[in-house]
Structure formats: structure tokens, C-alpha cells
Amino acid sequence: LNDELTKKNPKRLKQLKQYYDKLIPILYRNDFLGISTLVRKGIVLWYLLKKKPIMRITTHADQRVVLHKSCGLAAQTFMLSMTAEGYDTCPMEGFDEVLVKKILNLPSSGVEINMVISCGVGKPEGFYNHRLRLPNDEIIFEV
């Protein structure tokens, strides 16, 4: 963190350091016996009793959902950046995850691939056929 934040509010800096050094590892740690899950549930309950807002990520499944959402948002930012630089992208699902892990030299278990994104210079006419785009007023509505 920058020096300006440290000088202006050292108490806030201490809170941030505790959050990232202590709480985040507890929230995302998993163990064989499920003790970390019980600790997370206790922390969430303690915050709820104090009527303070907290992320209710307690189970491994909750963590996976948050992880995949975060990866999707990062992928969106990447694809928008590529478009700004004049390239086209295409996010893909339905790929052979085992083969992709093998190609990338990733472990076969404990690792998930969110998506594969192809990047390059696209053709104006599209790859297979002419591109079909519906007019925005047919698919975007104000509520």
C-alpha cells in the first residue's frame, strides 16, 4: 500500500493488513477434515450477530462459485482490452479440459479451467458465415 494511505490513516492500514494477512487465508483455506469450513461458519455467524455485513462464503462450493464469477469478470476485462487494441476474442466453453490441462502442464486434480479465450485479428465477414447481429432495439429494453 502506498505511503500516502499510511500517513493519513494508519489505523485503516492496520485493518487492511489484518484483512489480507489473516481473514482472507481463513476464508479461502480448505482442509481434509472440514475444520476450516466450521471456522468460516463461526466467523460469519459472529458478524451476523453483530449485524455487520459479511460475505457469506463458507463452503467449498461457495468458494468455487465466487472464483468462477471473478474469473469471468477478469476475462471480460481482458476481452474488452483486446478489443480496444484492435483484436477479436472468443470465450469458449465445452472444451476438453483434460487435454487443455495436459497442454498447459497443469495438475489433473485440484485445478479447474474457467474458460479458454481465443484471440486474434478477425475477418469482417466472420469465420464460417456472415455475422448475424440483431439490432440493439430488439434485444435491449429499458425498464
Side-chain angles (χ1 to χ4, degrees):
L1 299 169
N2 63 27
D3 288 334
E4 209 173 296
L5 178 63
T6 309
K7 290 175 186 173
K8 286 183 179 179
N9 195 346
K11 183 180 176 186
R12 180 71 178 140
L13 178 64
K14 184 179 176 184
Q15 290 173 332
L16 289 171
K17 285 189 66 59
Q18 285 179 339
Y19 177 78
Y20 285 105
D21 292 344
K22 295 180 182 175
L23 187 61
I24 289 296
I26 291 170
L27 289 176
Y28 287 96
R29 182 180 301 129
N30 285 302
D31 60 83
F32 177 70
L33 299 174
I35 295 169
S36 296
T37 300
L38 293 174
V39 170
R40 281 191 296 273
K41 287 185 180 193
I43 290 170
V44 168
L45 180 62
W46 181 70
Y47 270 87
L48 291 176
L49 290 173
K50 292 179 80 172
K51 301 208 185 297
K52 290 188 174 187
I54 187 171
M55 296 186 309
R56 299 178 191 207
I57 303 170
T58 57
T59 66
H60 185 63
D62 293 340
Q63 291 173 337
R64 287 182 67 241
V65 168
V66 169
L67 172 76
H68 284 286
K69 285 181 187 177
S70 295
C71 286
L73 291 170
Q76 175 189 13
T77 302
F78 170 74
M79 291 186 295
L80 289 170
S81 299
M82 289 294 286
T83 301
E85 294 296 321
Y87 294 98
D88 291 316
T89 59
C90 181
M92 295 177 270
E93 287 186 299
F95 51 86
D96 186 341
E97 188 170 359
V98 173
L99 184 60
V100 172
K101 285 180 182 181
K102 187 176 178 182
I103 291 168
L104 296 175
N105 228 7
L106 297 173
S108 58
S109 63
V111 174
E112 295 182 28
I113 298 174
N114 185 276
M115 72 178 75
V116 172
I117 302 174
S118 64
C119 307
V121 179
K123 295 180 175 182
E125 67 274 7
F127 187 71
Y128 294 108
N129 300 316
H130 289 286
R131 291 183 179 179
L132 173 64
R133 299 279 189 235
L134 296 173
N136 284 344
D137 59 346
E138 288 186 26
I139 56 173
I140 300 173
F141 302 95
E142 275 191 48
V143 180

